[in-house]
Amino acid sequence: MAWMVLVLSGVLEAVWATALGRSEGFSKLGPSIIFGVALVFSMAGLAYAMRSLPTGTSYAVWVGIGAALTVGFAMLTGAESTTPMKILLILGIVGCVVGLKALH
């Protein structure tokens, strides 16, 4: 259960990171609210997962999922350029996350 919550929390990290960028310094209400709600649930899920998973592994998986999804979404929407090297590096992050899960 802790792993499922951790993965969901990583997804919510990507949501709040994207919403933070779209809030334009908290000047747009909608993205600012999404940021706040996603941040609270993302942190709560991380805290829950860390009750039974090691801190270092939990944090690395949480950040890795959030970072990979954030940049992947930005590339899909055209907010960021897409290059083969970026895709390869994102796949490296995903591979490391999978490796940490496999080692646990």
Side-chain angles (χ1 to χ4, degrees), residues 33-97:
I33 291 171
I34 292 170
F35 163 78
V37 171
L39 178 68
V40 168
F41 282 105
S42 179
M43 291 292 174
L46 176 62
Y48 173 83
M50 289 172 68
R51 290 174 28 190
S52 59
L53 299 172
T55 299
T57 299
S58 298
Y59 184 70
V61 168
W62 182 75
V63 168
I65 292 170
L69 289 177
T70 301
V71 72
F73 182 76
M75 289 189 314
L76 284 173
T77 60
E80 242 182 80
S81 64
T82 303
T83 66
M85 184 56 75
K86 277 186 181 181
I87 293 169
L88 183 64
L89 292 169
I90 292 168
L91 290 174
I93 292 171
V94 172
C96 290
V97 168

